[in-house]
C-alpha cells in the first residue's frame, strides 16, 4: 500500500538546517499494523505527517496505492487524504465548539455524505466506541480516554483504508491506553492498515512489525511473532 | 456544511462575548455613521429632483467684469424675460419672479401673521413641478389680487388646508386677496421655496425701476425646448442686453437647474465645478474612511484571535477541508457579523437621527419604504462583511495544519506586521481628524472674531412695517427714553449683506477704463454711531444733507484713497458717467466687512436719507443692560407706536452666524467624525491589548515570579502600542498639514497653522491609547502568577 524510497525532509531555520528524514526507505502492505519507534527528535512525527499527506517531502518518492504523491499539490493531497486516511493524535485535537456527534460527523461532511447517511454512520461508530451516551457533550466535558475514543471514532467514520496514529496513548493512563490499543487492533483485524508512532514497548507489542528510527533513518525492523 | 459553520460560529460568538461585542459594535457604529452620511448625500444629490423638467430649466445669470474680478450674480433686468421668449426660438417658456420672498403681513380674522411671499408669472406652475391640491394653474392668476399658498401656509392661516379656496385674506392691512390655489408642500431640498405666491404683475406695477434695462432686480427662469443645447442659447444671450444698452456690463448666460445646488461656485465668471458638491465628496470619503476603520478593527481582532482558532483550522484541514471552503467559512462569519451589526445600526440610526437632523439642519428619514435604501444598506453590509472578512479569511485558511496542530506558536511575523499596520492606519486617520477638527474650528473662530470694522454685538435689525418710517422720530425718541437703547438709525440695506452696487461712477483722476464696484447705502444720521463705524476725517452725515447741493456723502477709507490719491479726499466730487449731478465727499469712515466675510470688502458711499426711503431700523442696546429686558422694552415701544404689526427683529450677530452655516456644519461634523473614528479605533485597540495580555500571560507570570513590579509589567505591555501611536503621528502630520493647507488656501482671510496643534493631537492620541491599553495591562500585571502558570 505504501512504498517510500530515499525520502528526505529538511527544516531550515535562520542558523541551522535540520535533517528530519535522511534518505529513508520503507514499505507498508495493506492490512499491516506497523509501529514506529525511536528517540525523541528522530523524525517519527515528520514521517507520519508525510505519510498522511499533511506535509510534502523535499526529496524522494512516496507511492500510495500505486500513485506517486510526493509532488501532489495541496488540493490533490486533501482529496486523496479525506477519502483514504484517518488520523489519531496524542492531543486528540477535537474542535471545542462542536459536540461529540458533530466532531465525528465532520469528515463525512467534507466527503459529501448525505445527512441521513451521516446520522446512521456516526451513530454506528459511536456505538462501537461505546460513547453513544455522550453524543451531545462537548469535548471539555469528557475524560481523556473518552476524548481519544471520540477522536478514533472520527478517524474511522469514513472507513479509511489507512489510520495514522501519533502516540495515541501518550496522554492516557495505562488502562485507558489499553482500551485504545484494543480498539486499534479490532480495526486492524477488520482490514484497516494502521501505522502508529509510540514510545511504549508495551503498545508496540500490539503491532505486527516495529520500525526503529534514529536520526531520520531506519536502523532496525522487528517482526512480531 | 453550512449548518456546521453556523453552529461553530454561534458557539464561538457566544463563548467570546466581549470579543463579539467589540467586533459587532464597532461595525455597527461604522455602518450607522456611513448610512447617516449617505442619507445626507442622497438628499443633497437629489436636490431639485422633484422638478420633472429639471434638465431643461435654467436661471439666467449675469457676469459683470470689473478691474479686479468678475462679479457673477443672478439679478436680471425686468424687460429681459419677455424679450428672450419672443426673440430666441429655442426657449419654451420664461418666468420672472421677485428675487426673494418678501415677508408680507397677512391677517385673517384679525390674526396677523407674516408669510414669505414670492411674486411670479403664472408660467411658474408649468415650468416647476408644483402640484395643486386645490385650484389649478390655468385659473390661479387670472385675477390680480389672488394668492396661491402651500398646504402648510393654509394650516398656518386657516388652521386647515381643506376648503380654503376662495377665502379672502387681508394683506398689509390694505388690500384683500383671494386664495385661488393650494399647492402641495414642496420638499425642503427644492430650490423653489415660498409660503405664498402672488401674480408678478403686482410687483411689476409697484416697481417702476423694473422697466429699465439697466436695473437688475429680478430673477428670470428659462425653460428650453427639448433637445436645445444651452450653449447655443448662451451665444445669443451674450450680447442680449447690449443690443439695448451698449455700455451695460452684464453678460447673460444660462445656469442649469441640476447645477444650482451643488455646483454654484463661480470664479472669473466661469463655473469652477465646486460648491456644495465638495462637501458631498468630502463627507462621502469620510463615510468610507469610517467604514474602513471599523473593518480594520474587525480584521485586527479576528487575526489576533486566530491562534485560538488555529487548531480548528488544522483539524478541519486534516479531515480534508480545502483552503477555499475554509476561506468561505471565515468570510461567511464576517458577513454574518456584519448583518447583525447592520440590524444594530438600524436601531442606532433611529435613535440618533433626530440629533443628526439637528446637526445638518435637515429632515432626513430612514425611509424603509424606499427600495434603494434597503438595497444600499444591504450593499453597505455586504461590503463591510467582505472587507472585514477578507484578510482574516485568507490568513486563517492558509495555516499549515502540521504546524498548528503541533502547537507551534504562530510567530508568523507578516501577520503581526499587518496587524500593527492596521492599528497604525486607524490611528493615523484619527490623528488627521483631530488635527483637522482643531484647525477648522480655529479658522472659523478666526473669521468670526475678525474685526469687521463695525460692532455687530447687541445690534438689532428691525424691518420697517406699516407707519414706522412716518413715525420714526417719535419711535426713536421712545426707544431712547426707555433707558435700554443707546442709539437708533435707519438704513436701506442690511449692514452685513451685500447688494445695490454700481460701477458707473467716475471722478477726477480715476484711471481711465477702470471699473470699480462701489456700494451705495442710504442711511439716517446716527447710523455710524449705531453700528460702530468710526469717522476718520471730515464730518458725519446730517439731516439737511438730504437736500444739499451738491449731494453730500461719507465714503469708506478705501474709496477715499482711490479718490484722494496721496492727499485728502474731502471735497472731491464723484458722479455717474454721463451725468453731471455730483456728490461731494464730506467725511471718511473706516472700511468694514460686508457681503463676503472672507474677502476684502468693496468701497461704500453713504448718503443721507429721509426715513421714507429706508426699509430697516438698527437699534443698539446699551452695554450694561440685560438683553432680555431690553428686547421686552423695545417690544413695548413698538406695541404702542406701531400696534397693527407683530414685532419681529433679528440680531445682527445671528445674521453673521448664519453666514457660516456650511463652515459650521463642517466643523460640527468633523468633530463628530473625529470622535467616532477615535472611539472605533479604541474599541479595536482595547481588544488587541486584551489579546496581547492574554497571549503573554505566561511570560508575565514568570517575570513576576522573578521579581518584576506591577508598573514594570504594565509599561512593558503598553510600550509596543505607544510606538505604534508615535508612528501614526509621523504618518498623519504631513497628510493633515497638506489637507489643511489646501483647505485654508480657499479663504483669503485665514489662520496660519501652528505646531502646537499637531503636538496636542499627538499627545491626546497617546493619552487616549494609554488609557485604553492600561486597563488591560494593569489587569494582566496584577494577576496572580501562580494561577496563570498553573493553567498552562
Ligand atoms: N517545524 C519545524 N521546524 C524546524 N525543525 C523541526 C520542525 N519540526 C520538526 N523539526 C525537527 O525535526 C526533527 C524531527 O522532528 P519530529 O517531530 O519528527 O520528531 P519525533 O521523532 O516525532 O520526536 P518526538 O518523539 O519528541 O515527538 C527534530 O530534530 C525537530 O527538531
Ligand atoms: Mg513526535
Amino acid at each position: 500500500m505504501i512504498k517510500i524510497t530515499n525520502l528526505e525532509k529538511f527544516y531550515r531555520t535562520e542558523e541551522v538546517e535540520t535533517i528530519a528524514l535522511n534518505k529513508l526507505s520503507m514499505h507498508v502492505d495493506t492490512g499491516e499494523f506497523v509501529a514506529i519507534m525511536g528517540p525523541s527528535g528522530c523524525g517519527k512525527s515528520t514521517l507520519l505527517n508525510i505519510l498522511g499527506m499533511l506535509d510534502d517531502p523535499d526529496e524522494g518518492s512516496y507511492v500510495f496505492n500505486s500513485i506517486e504523491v510526493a509532488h501532489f499539490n495541496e488540493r490533490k493531497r486533501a482529496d486523496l487524504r479525506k477519502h483514504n486516511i484517518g488520523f489519531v493524535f496524542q492531543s486528540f485535537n477535537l474542535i471545542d465548539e462542536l459536540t461529540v456527534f458533530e466532531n465525528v460527523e465532520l469528515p463525512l461532511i467534507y466527503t459529501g455524505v448525505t445527512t441521513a447517511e451521516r446520522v446512521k454512520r456516526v451513530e454506528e461508530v459511536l456505538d462501537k466506541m461505546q460513547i453513544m451516551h455522550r453524543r451531545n457533550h462537548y469535548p471539555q466535558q469528557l475524560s481523556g480516554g473518552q476524548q481519544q475514543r471520540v477522536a478514533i471514532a472520527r478517524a474511522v467514520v469514513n472507513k479509511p483504508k489507512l489510520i495514522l496514529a501519533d502516540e495515541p496513548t501518550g496522554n492516557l493512563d495505562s488502562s485507558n491506553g489499553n482500551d485504545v490499543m484494543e480498539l486499534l487492533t479490532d480495526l486492524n483485524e477488520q482490514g484497516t492498515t494502521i501505522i502508529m508512532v509510540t514510545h511504549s514497548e508495551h503498545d508496540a507489542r500490539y503491532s505486527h512489525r516495529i520500525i526503529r528510527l534514529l536520526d531520520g533513518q531506519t536502523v532496525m525492523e522487528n517482526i512480531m511473532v | 456544511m453550512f449548518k456546521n459553520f453556523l453552529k461553530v460560529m454561534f458557539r464561538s460568538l457566544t463563548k467570546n462575548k466581549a470579543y463579539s461585542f467589540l467586533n459587532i459594535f464597532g461595525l455597527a457604529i461604522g455602518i450607522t455613521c456611513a448610512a447617516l452620511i449617505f442619507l445626507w448625500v442622497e438628499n443633497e444629490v437629489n436636490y431639485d429632483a422633484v422638478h420633472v423638467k429639471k434638465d431643461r430649466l435654467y436661471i439666467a445669470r449675469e457676469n459683470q467684469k470689473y478691474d479686479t474680478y468678475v462679479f457673477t450674480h443672478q439679478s436680471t433686468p425686468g424687460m429681459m424675460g419677455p424679450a428672450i421668449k419672443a426673440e430666441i426660438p429655442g426657449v419654451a417658456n420664461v418666468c420672472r419672479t421677485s428675487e426673494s420672498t418678501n415677508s408680507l403681513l397677512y391677517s385673517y380674522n384679525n390674526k396677523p401673521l407674516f408669510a414669505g411671499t414670492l411674486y411670479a408669472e403664472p408660467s411658474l406652475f408649468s415650468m416647476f413641478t408644483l402640484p395643486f391640491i386645490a385650484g389649478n394653474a390655468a385659473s390661479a392668476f387670472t385675477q390680480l389680487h389672488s394668492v396661491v399658498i402651500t398646504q402648510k401656509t393654509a394650516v398656518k392661516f386657516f388652521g386647515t388646508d381643506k376648503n380654503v379656496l376662495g377665502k379672502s385674506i387681508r394683506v398689509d392691512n390694505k388690500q384683500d386677496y383671494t386664495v385661488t390655489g393650494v399647492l402641495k408642500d414642496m420638499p425642503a431640498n427644492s430650490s423653489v421655496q415660498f409660503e405664498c405666491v402672488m401674480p408678478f404683475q403686482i410687483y411689476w406695477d409697484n416697481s417702476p425701476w423694473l422697466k429699465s434695462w439697466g436695473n437688475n432686480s429680478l430673477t428670470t427662469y428659462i425653460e428650453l425646448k427639448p433637445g436645445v443645447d444651452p450653449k447655443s442659447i448662451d451665444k445669443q444671450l451674450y450680447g442680449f442686453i447690449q443690443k439695448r444698452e451698449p455700455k451695460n456690463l452684464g453678460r447673460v448666460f444660462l445656469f442649469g437647474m441640476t447645477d444650482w445646488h451643488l455646483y454654484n461656485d463661480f470664479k472669473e465668471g466661469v463655473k469652477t465645478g465646486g460648491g456644495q458638491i465638495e462637501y458631498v465628496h468630502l463627507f462621502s470619503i469620510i463615510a468610507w474612511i469610517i467604514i474602513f476603520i471599523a473593518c480594520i478593527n474587525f480584521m485586527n481582532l479576528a487575526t489576533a484571535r486566530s491562534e485560538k482558532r488555529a487548531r480548528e483550522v488544522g483539524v478541519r484541514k486534516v479531515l480534508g477541508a480545502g483552503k477555499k471552503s475554509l476561506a468561505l467559512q471565515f468570510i461567511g462569519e464576517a458577513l454574518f457579523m456584519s448583518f447583525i451589526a447592520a440590524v444594530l445600526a438600524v436601531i442606532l440610526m433611529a435613535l440618533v437621527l433626530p440629533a443628526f437632523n439637528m446637526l445638518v439642519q435637515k429632515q432626513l428619514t430612514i425611509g424603509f419604504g424606499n427600495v434603494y435604501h434597503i438595497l444600499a444598506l444591504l450593499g453597505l453590509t455586504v461590503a463591510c462583511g467582505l472587507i472585514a472578512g477578507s484578510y482574516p479569511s485568507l490568513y486563517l485558511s492558509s495555516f499549515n495544519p502540521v504546524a498548528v496542530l503541533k502547537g507551534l506558536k504562530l510567530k508568523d511575523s507578516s501577520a503581526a506586521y499587518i496587524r500593527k499596520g492596521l492599528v497604525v492606519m486607524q490611528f493615523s486617520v484619527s490623528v488627521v481628524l483631530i488635527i483637522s477638527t482643531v484647525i477648522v474650528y480655529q479658522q472659523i473662530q478666526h473669521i468670526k472674531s475678525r474685526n469687521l470694522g463695525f460692532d455687530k454685538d447687541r445690534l438689532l435689525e428691525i424691518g420697517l412695517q406699516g407707519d414706522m418710517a412716518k413715525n420714526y422720530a417719535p419711535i426713536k425718541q421712545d426707544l431712547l427714553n426707555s433707558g435700554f437703547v443707546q442709539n437708533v438709525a435707519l438704513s436701506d440695506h442690511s449692514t452685513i449683506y451685500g447688494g445695490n452696487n454700481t460701477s458707473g461712477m467716475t471722478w477726477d483722476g480715476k484711471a481711465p477704463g477702470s471699473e470699480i464696484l462701489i456700494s451705495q447705502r442710504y442711511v439716517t444720521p446716527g447710523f455710524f454711531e449705531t453700528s460702530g463705524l468710526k469717522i476718520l476725517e471730515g464730518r458725519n452725515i446730517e439731516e439737511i444733507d438730504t437736500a444739499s447741493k451738491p449731494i453730500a456723502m461719507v465714503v469708506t477709507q478705501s474709496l477715499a484713497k482711490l479718490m484722494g490719491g496721496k492727499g485728502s479726499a474731502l471735497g472731491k466730487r464723484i458722479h455717474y458717467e454721463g451725468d453731471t449731478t455730483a456728490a461731494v465727499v464730506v467725511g471718511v469712515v473706516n472700511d468694514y466687512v460686508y457681503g463676503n466675510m472672507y474677502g476684502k470688502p468693496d468701497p461704500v458711499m453713504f448718503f443721507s436719507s429721509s426715513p421714507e426711503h429706508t426699509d430697516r431700523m438698527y437699534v443698539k442696546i446699551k452695554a450694561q443692560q440685560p438683553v432680555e429686558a431690553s428686547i421686552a422694552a423695545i417690544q413695548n415701544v413698538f406695541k404702542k407706536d406701531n400696534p397693527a404689526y407683530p414685532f419681529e427683529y433679528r440680531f445682527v450677530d445671528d445674521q453673521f452666524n448664519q453666514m457660516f452655516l456650511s463652515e459650521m456644519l463642517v466643523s460640527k461634523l468633523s468633530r463628530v467624525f473625529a470622535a467616532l473614528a477615535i472611539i472605533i479605533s479604541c474599541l479595536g485597540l482595547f481588544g488587541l491589548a486584551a489579546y496581547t495580555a492574554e497571549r503573554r500571560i505566561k511570560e508575565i507570570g514568570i517575570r513576576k515570579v522573578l521579581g518584576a513590579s506591577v508598573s514594570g509589567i504594565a509599561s512593558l505591555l503598553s510600550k509596543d502600542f505607544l510606538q505604534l501611536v508615535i508612528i501614526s503621528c509621523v504618518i498623519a502630520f504631513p497628510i493633515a498639514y497638506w489637507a489643511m493647507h489646501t483647505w485654508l488656501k480657499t479663504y483669503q482671510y485665514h489662520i496660519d497653522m501652528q505646531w502646537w496643534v499637531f503636538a496636542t493631537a499627538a499627545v491626546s492620541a497617546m493619552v487616549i491609547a494609554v488609557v485604553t491599553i492600561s486597563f488591560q495591562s494593569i489587569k494582566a500585571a496584577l494577576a496572580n502568577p501562580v494561577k496563570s502558570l498553573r493553567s498552562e
Side-chain angles (χ1 to χ4, degrees), chain B residues 450-512:
Chain B
R450 178 178 188 181
N451 183 1
L452 295 177
F454 70 96
D455 186 6
K456 64 182 176 1
D457 294 331
R458 308 169 81 81
L459 187 59
L460 236 55
E461 185 191 283
I462 301 164
L464 294 187
Q465 301 284 353
D467 294 332
M468 277 167 73
K470 209 157 76 192
N471 299 332
Y472 173 57
I475 291 176
K476 179 174 179 179
Q477 203 49 53
D478 284 345
L479 285 171
L480 292 174
N481 288 348
S482 73
F484 290 91
V485 171
Q486 177 152 358
N487 243 319
V488 181
L490 301 176
S491 167
D492 69 331
H493 272 86
S494 274
T495 308
I496 202 159
Y497 301 135
N500 196 17
N501 42 30
T502 176
S503 62
M505 309 300 288
T506 189
W507 58 88
D508 288 346
K510 185 186 177 193

Side-chain angles (χ1 to χ4, degrees), chain B residues 226-485:
Chain B
V228 174
D229 180 12
K231 285 208 191 77
S232 71
I233 306 294
D234 279 347
K235 278 197 199 106
Q236 302 175 65
L237 288 175
Y238 186 76
F240 201 82
I241 296 178
Q242 285 69 22
K243 269 195 264 175
R244 282 87 180 171
E245 275 222 344
K247 291 197 94 177
N248 196 306
L249 287 178
R251 301 294 180 178
V252 183
F253 64 97
L254 296 179
F255 182 45
M257 185 177 219
T258 44
D259 289 349
W260 289 357
H261 182 68
L262 292 178
Y263 299 93
N264 190 11
D265 189 39
F266 288 81
K267 198 171 184 182
E268 298 299 318
V270 184
K271 219 163 51 179
T272 60
Q276 185 74 0
I277 189 71
E278 288 166 46
Y279 291 116
V280 170
H281 287 159
L282 179 70
F283 288 136
S284 306
I285 291 172
I286 288 181
W288 284 112
I289 288 178
I290 288 189
I291 284 277
F292 190 60
I293 289 188
C295 287
I296 285 181
N297 249 2
F298 189 101
M299 294 189 213
N300 251 339
L301 290 171
T303 52
R305 228 175 52 97
S306 60
E307 254 156 77
K308 286 204 162 160
R309 299 198 70 175
R311 211 159 58 96
E312 181 195 334
V313 173
V315 172
R316 283 184 186 273
K317 280 200 163 181
V318 167
L319 298 180
K323 201 170 155 173
K324 208 159 103 195
S325 89
L326 283 167
L328 281 178
Q329 175 186 353
F330 292 115
I331 285 271
E333 279 192 28
L335 279 173
F336 181 79
M337 291 228 226
S338 170
F339 272 101
I340 302 180
V343 172
L344 194 61
V346 170
I347 299 171
L348 284 177
M349 265 175 89
L351 291 177
V352 301
L353 196 59
F356 184 74
N357 274 333
M358 286 259 279
L359 191 71
V360 300
Q361 314 261 316
K362 295 212 180 220
Q363 286 101 44
L364 304 174
T365 53
I366 299 184
F368 273 126
N370 189 334
V371 194
Y372 290 109
H373 286 194
I374 306 264
L375 286 179
L377 183 66
L378 222 60
L380 200 57
T381 309
V382 171
C384 264
L386 291 182
I387 299 174
S390 57
Y391 174 65
S393 76
L394 285 180
Y395 174 64
L396 282 167
S397 65
S398 64
F399 282 158
N400 175 350
V402 178
V404 293
L405 290 184
K406 202 166 158 189
L408 280 184
K409 270 266 181 260
L410 290 165
K411 275 243 270 325
D412 200 348
S413 52
S414 72
Y417 277 126
I418 288 182
R419 206 143 63 216
K420 284 179 181 165
L422 293 174
V423 171
V424 166
M425 232 189 289
Q426 283 185 316
F427 268 80
S428 302
V429 172
S430 301
V431 171
V432 170
L433 284 174
I434 296 177
I435 293 173
S436 312
T437 305
V438 175
I439 290 178
V440 169
Y441 181 77
Q442 280 184 324
Q443 165 68 4
I444 291 174
Q445 288 314 106
H446 180 64
I447 293 173
K448 292 181 84 173
S449 61
R450 178 178 188 181
N451 183 1
L452 295 177
F454 70 96
D455 186 6
K456 64 182 176 1
D457 294 331
R458 308 169 81 81
L459 187 59
L460 236 55
E461 185 191 283
I462 301 164
L464 294 187
Q465 301 284 353
D467 294 332
M468 277 167 73
K470 209 157 76 192
N471 299 332
Y472 173 57
I475 291 176
K476 179 174 179 179
Q477 203 49 53
D478 284 345
L479 285 171
L480 292 174
N481 288 348
S482 73
F484 290 91
V485 171

